[in-house]
Amino acid sequence: MGYDWPLVGRERELGVARRALADAEVCGLLLTGRAGAGKTRLAKALLAELEAGGARTHWVRAMSSASTIPFGAFAHLLPGSAHGTADRAHRLNQVAAHLTSGAEGRRLVLCVDDAHLLDDLSATLVHQLAATAAAFVIVLAPHGVSVPDPVFAMWKDRVAERLDIGELTRDETRELITAALGGRLDDGAEHRLWHLTLGNPLFLRELVQGGLDSGSLSAEDGVWRWSGALRATPRLVELIEIRTDRVDADERRLLELLAFGESLGSEPLLRLGAGRVLASMEQAGLVVSERTGRRLDVRLAHPLYAEVIRRRTSPLRQRDTYRILAQTLDMTGARRAEDKPRLVRWRLAAGLPTDPQLVRAAAETLLRKDFPQAEQLAAEAVRLGGGFAAKFLLAQVRIAGGRHADADALLAELAGETVSDVQHARVAATRARNLALGLGRFERAEAVLDTAETAVSSGTDELATARAAMRAAAGATRSALDLLGPVLDRNRRGDPLRLAALVVAAGALAESGRVEACLGVVEEGLAIASRISDADVPGAQARLDHARIVALCGAGRVEEAEDLAGDGYRDAIRDRWGPALAGAAASLGTVALAYGNLRGAIRWLREALAAEAHDQPHAFRPAVVAALARATAMTGQAADAPSVPGPLGTWTQAWVAAARGELTRAAELAASAAASAAAEGRLAIAAEMAHDVVRFGGEAPSVDLEGRLPSLYAEHARASDPAALDDVATAFADVGARLLAAEAAASAGRAYRAEGKLGSAATSAQRARTWLESCEDAATPALALLETPLDLTVRELEIARLVATGLTSRAVADRLVVSVRTVDNVLHGVYAKLGISGRRELASVVGRPEVGSSPADAP
């Protein structure tokens, strides 16, 4: 990737500059901004435009090494005789005349970079050329530095206009990354890049280049993803070092304290004697101060300064810096909530004695805010002798980090160290959930619970909750709720046990279609989760949020679900916690699929499965895998169905069959999946499966479930005339199900055409196409009705489409489980109805064959 990135987010600045260039009263432009903000890039774009318009342009760069040489910056543009003239005024006029005569009548434009380093004569020349309108001068200077008086006078005397170049906004930063990479960067990486660069284009470019060079940044499924740490290029390190190395010993110590301590209150810094250098460092642009409540905080001016300073600090000096930070915070008192985990981390890094219980408490506090740090602290608490509580926390952290085998080994070891029934039950329940939901070993998990139930007299509710979680994950929704009812009745306090039960109940209620009950459970669960540590029930909020989104989508409240899912995703990106990120992405995928935005659904569902360090939450992971396969099939891509157990797997196979044109088989599979899901109590899913039978052209089985969306499914199944289908389409659109609305409208259009009502047919078809504008890539079987011939029956159309893809009669017969004679007889009837002679003409009438296939020659 080259260093000349696209010019993005500078429309306002370009507009100001162009107006100045067009104004006869303005003869110069002073561009100022922080290092890396993009002054040079903007100036080069302006010069390129001017040169293309016929102007004579020169680029002049001042350097400190030439700042004592008269006309040092202009040496490359001057004739040799200009250097030997003694009289300064004569030399000045001679140089000016040489530059203007060289323009040969064209407009002369000079661009002077790093104008603060100009020698006196060069600065005077710049001013003279602008003041006499002999040239238009673009001057670049860093923000906060002094420029030579003649240059300053240009702006003061209004010969030139000043234009401050600021950092890019977050949206502009995202746009620039997309333009530079030629594709979208995943949101987690975008979030990290934004908070490291704060919109500085130079820093952004160097970090992206470093990711490309190291291979950490790579494209996957059309999305650029970042794996591993963000590394600055050597060039960026050098640029930052130039700024941070020009300091004395006291200033260096202040920079190190802020690099390792992050934001610090001014009070401890003043106690350390940093008051003398704080003002000068802030004036130099290396630190900034900001008021937070009643406290005045100080931090480094840019996050990347901290990265570079930490990298260049020796381990011994790092240890000493942490010692100073810890002792200072001890003296001033760790009064804020965030101060306590910071103090623990600093004491450990300094090698100071630290209570393992404090270390464990710090790990619990950081679990959602900084997961890698929480894992390190949990392991440290175990190493320091934190006992059962520390080991149990480490096991939970490993589960939340996706290290299920390591967690199982630790829990097996911990089972032999329990000293009470409560501890024994807690370890057994956690291990069983990890075995089943993390490792897929359901039988072993059941055995662990069976053994524990015979060994304890208390704590059985925790074991029952774990068993219910396993039942729910296996699809046995009714059985899970039956187990949870008594547990919730016996445990009314808002404690971790009740929260764990509510989490399982929320998911089960969502799948059963009991929307209001689910929302009530979610509300109570979130209230409890806000009061207790994330370590007590890891991932509780993510699972509750996802259950709520699923319930709302199933009830046709898609817009409400979308708002909640968006809020959850923004929070998850900020927290960078795997379980929350996986759950939030899955929720957004669920919403997109409910709308019919298949491209968006595929993107979000893939992100849910690829979320870094997520805990593979099998409570909804199979549903995500199945939903991704269905969304892909709805785009017409007949990929192999993933291995998903139970009705979800059968449902997925139905959509894969539909994408291959096997609508009869698709309808049979969807009906079978609906019956199985209903038997398990998953009535919301069963209703959707039954409706898909209608979408495949079959007769839907009955599913007894109340609610707006299930009632629309039933209305669609009963609709027997085009007017009723149009009404159903409108109703689907009203609840946000735009793909379903388009399909119903397409069916209405076909029915109107069959009745000879071509005007009504055109109206319905147009409605369908309007809704499809927000359903990118949709290619479901029902949508094909917009273009297909009226004369064909569903069976004739199915066989015709399969043959049009290049399949032989034998292959079609095998797929549809009919005889070859039946296929050939149907084909002859199709040819007669359509007035065509054979297979070669079939594709142009009923659909285009897939890439790489060709119709067979046989009749």
Side-chain angles (χ1 to χ4, degrees):
M1 178 178 296
Y3 276 95
D4 284 333
W5 273 24
L7 189 62
V8 171
R10 296 303 185 195
E11 289 76 13
R12 182 191 69 83
E13 291 84 352
L14 282 170
V16 171
R18 288 165 180 156
R19 286 192 294 273
L21 284 160
D23 190 339
E25 301 296 321
V26 178
C27 296
L29 190 64
L30 174 60
L31 303 181
T32 183
R34 292 185 177 88
K39 303 182 296 296
T40 302
R41 181 72 183 85
L42 180 65
K44 285 184 176 180
L46 289 172
L47 253 62
E49 287 185 9
L50 290 163
E51 191 167 356
R56 175 64 166 153
T57 65
H58 292 295
W59 186 273
V60 174
R61 179 163 187 183
M63 295 182 290
S64 57
S65 59
S67 60
T68 59
I69 303 173
F71 296 118
F74 286 84
H76 63 295
L77 300 177
L78 303 182
S81 58
H83 297 283
T85 306
D87 182 72
R88 290 170 59 91
H90 182 74
R91 292 169 65 191
L92 189 63
N93 291 333
Q94 183 185 28
V95 171
H98 173 76
L99 291 174
T100 53
S101 63
E104 299 175 342
R106 292 179 289 168
R107 186 181 193 185
L108 178 62
V109 181
L110 289 176
C111 186
V112 182
D113 199 2
D114 286 335
H116 61 296
L117 300 176
L118 284 173
D119 61 275
D120 291 342
L121 274 179
S122 293
T124 305
L125 173 63
V126 169
H127 180 274
Q128 178 176 318
L129 290 170
T132 61
F136 191 95
V137 180
I138 302 175
V139 175
L140 283 63
H143 179 75
V145 301
S146 298
V147 297
D149 289 341
V151 175
F152 179 73
M154 290 170 54
W155 172 64
K156 183 184 68 173
D157 299 339
R158 298 186 178 179
V159 172
E161 288 192 1
R162 173 172 171 160
L163 178 57
D164 291 321
I165 310 298
E167 279 72 18
L168 299 175
T169 65
R170 183 161 188 171
D171 287 342
E172 291 167 346
T173 300
R174 184 185 300 112
E175 183 183 353
L176 176 57
I177 296 172
T178 302
L181 293 175
R184 187 181 67 82
L185 185 69
D186 83 87
D187 295 271
E190 181 272 328
H191 179 83
R192 295 167 68 190
L193 278 173
W194 164 254
H195 284 280
L196 269 178
T197 64
L198 299 180
N200 186 293
L202 173 62
F203 293 172
L204 179 68
R205 185 185 68 196
E206 293 297 329
L207 284 176
V208 169
Q209 189 65 52
L212 291 170
D213 292 343
S214 66
S216 298
L217 181 60
S218 59
E220 178 183 343
D221 297 325
V223 177
W224 288 87
R225 303 185 186 279
W226 207 299
S227 58
L230 290 166
R231 298 292 184 189
T233 61
R235 180 171 178 266
L236 179 55
V237 172
E238 291 173 5
L239 290 170
I240 294 175
E241 286 175 347
I242 290 173
R243 296 217 68 198
T244 57
D245 281 356
R246 297 172 180 172
V247 294
D248 61 26
D250 290 341
E251 292 169 337
R252 165 63 60 184
R253 174 54 81 186
L254 173 62
L255 292 177
E256 290 170 348
L257 289 171
L258 292 173
F260 289 96
E262 300 164 359
S263 178
L264 296 174
S266 59
E267 181 183 348
L269 290 175
L270 291 175
R271 289 195 177 206
L272 290 171
R276 180 186 67 81
V277 298
L278 272 175
S280 62
M281 297 291 279
E282 187 168 24
Q283 186 176 6
L286 292 174
V287 305
V288 294
S289 60
E290 51 195 6
R291 189 165 293 282
T292 307
R294 292 185 296 176
R295 189 164 87 170
L296 184 64
D297 288 333
V298 181
R299 59 174 175 80
L300 291 174
H302 201 283
L304 282 176
Y305 293 175
E307 295 286 328
V308 172
I309 291 169
R310 286 196 292 263
R311 183 187 300 185
R312 297 186 68 236
T313 305
S314 70
L316 188 61
R317 191 165 176 87
Q318 286 184 31
R319 189 183 183 102
D320 187 51
T321 302
Y322 280 122
R323 179 188 57 78
I324 295 172
L325 286 168
Q327 291 176 346
T328 304
L329 190 55
D330 267 335
M331 287 189 298
T332 56
R335 293 186 292 269
R336 294 189 175 188
E338 63 267 25
D339 286 343
K340 294 179 180 178
R342 292 171 83 191
L343 179 58
V344 167
R345 288 189 290 116
W346 293 346
R347 290 186 64 87
L348 289 171
L352 299 173
T354 309
D355 185 345
Q357 305 310 319
L358 293 178
V359 178
R360 177 179 58 80
E364 291 179 349
T365 301
L366 291 173
L367 184 57
R368 178 150 187 165
K369 298 176 182 176
D370 189 340
F371 184 84
Q373 190 68 240
E375 185 173 16
Q376 291 179 17
L377 289 177
E380 189 66 20
V382 172
R383 188 188 68 81
L384 292 172
F388 175 88
K391 283 188 176 181
F392 186 67
L393 173 63
L394 181 58
Q396 289 179 303
V397 170
R398 286 178 176 174
I399 293 172
R403 297 170 56 190
H404 302 289
D406 290 343
D408 183 61
L410 184 57
L411 288 166
E413 173 187 326
L414 200 55
E417 301 177 9
T418 58
V419 296
S420 67
D421 282 358
V422 172
Q423 285 186 350
H424 190 95
R426 184 171 300 171
V427 171
T430 303
R431 189 180 181 201
R433 281 195 296 267
N434 181 55
L435 283 166
L437 309 184
L439 297 172
R441 298 171 60 186
F442 279 84
E443 291 186 4
R444 176 61 180 143
E446 292 279 3
V448 168
L449 292 178
D450 291 342
T451 301
E453 284 178 346
T454 63
V456 301
S457 57
S458 59
T460 54
D461 282 347
E462 189 143 16
L463 299 175
T465 301
R467 199 180 293 277
M470 291 158 51
R471 294 279 193 279
T477 299
R478 186 177 292 113
S479 175
L481 290 172
D482 288 343
L483 281 170
L484 290 170
V487 173
L488 291 170
D489 287 341
R490 287 191 294 267
N491 296 273
R492 298 287 183 176
R493 294 185 306 161
D495 58 9
L497 175 56
R498 183 169 180 82
L499 175 59
L502 290 172
V503 168
V504 181
L509 289 168
E511 290 196 347
S512 69
R514 296 165 60 183
V515 176
E516 295 306 321
C518 173
L519 297 181
V521 165
V522 168
E523 183 177 1
E524 181 187 354
L526 291 174
I528 297 174
S530 68
R531 297 193 301 267
I532 67 176
S533 168
D534 288 311
D536 289 323
V537 187
Q541 182 174 333
R543 288 170 169 77
L544 289 168
D545 285 339
H546 184 68
R548 177 168 56 176
I549 301 306
V550 170
L552 290 172
C553 287
R557 295 159 62 178
V558 186
E559 290 186 2
E560 185 179 349
E562 183 179 32
D563 290 340
L564 292 168
D567 291 342
Y569 185 76
R570 283 186 288 273
D571 290 344
I573 286 291
R574 178 199 64 209
D575 296 337
R576 290 179 58 198
W577 195 40
L581 188 58
S587 294
L588 284 170
T590 301
V591 170
L593 192 54
Y595 273 127
N597 176 9
L598 302 182
R599 185 180 298 178
I602 290 170
R603 167 200 165 182
W604 291 117
L605 294 169
R606 281 177 174 168
E607 184 162 332
L609 297 174
E612 184 179 0
H614 70 76
D615 66 343
Q616 300 185 5
H618 281 252
F620 60 81
R621 184 177 175 83
V624 173
V625 172
L628 176 58
R630 294 199 311 277
T632 302
M634 288 180 200
T635 67
Q637 300 179 46
D640 291 336
S643 177
V644 178
L648 285 180
T650 307
W651 191 18
T652 301
Q653 292 170 13
W655 270 104
V656 170
R660 291 174 175 160
E662 303 168 17
L663 297 186
T664 302
R665 174 169 168 74
E668 291 171 352
L669 288 169
S672 173
S676 298
E680 294 175 345
R682 306 165 82 180
L683 296 181
I685 294 176
E688 193 174 351
M689 293 170 172
H691 181 244
D692 281 351
V693 177
V694 178
R695 298 171 74 185
F696 299 147
E699 293 187 7
S702 175
V703 176
D704 186 16
L705 178 64
E706 295 182 356
R708 178 58 174 152
L709 208 51
S711 68
L712 288 181
Y713 294 158
E715 289 178 31
H716 191 189
R718 291 192 302 267
S720 57
D721 60 75
L725 286 168
D726 259 340
D727 290 342
V728 170
T730 300
F732 274 135
D734 287 343
V735 300
R738 299 179 192 125
L739 179 56
L740 298 182
E743 291 181 353
S747 298
R750 180 178 173 85
Y752 278 126
R753 284 162 57 204
E755 294 179 357
K757 299 177 180 178
L758 300 184
S760 297
T763 300
S764 295
Q766 183 55 46
R767 296 175 77 210
R769 292 187 177 94
T770 299
W771 285 316
L772 282 177
E773 290 177 359
S774 60
C775 303
E776 293 181 293
D777 301 334
T780 61
L783 296 178
L785 298 175
L786 287 170
E787 309 295 343
T788 52
L790 291 172
D791 307 33
L792 304 184
T793 66
V794 172
R795 172 62 101 182
E796 288 172 335
L797 187 58
E798 178 179 28
I799 290 177
R801 284 182 180 152
L802 288 172
V803 170
T805 64
L807 292 176
T808 64
S809 295
R810 167 60 64 188
V812 173
D814 289 343
R815 286 199 181 189
L816 301 183
V817 198
V818 296
S819 69
V820 175
R821 177 175 295 180
T822 298
V823 173
D824 288 338
N825 288 339
V826 169
L827 278 177
H828 285 297
V830 169
Y831 300 155
K833 286 184 177 182
L834 300 180
I836 61 177
S837 60
R839 296 174 180 242
R840 291 188 180 279
E841 300 173 65
L842 202 55
S844 63
V845 181
V846 299
R848 300 179 65 85
E850 295 179 3
V851 176
S853 65
S854 60
D857 292 328

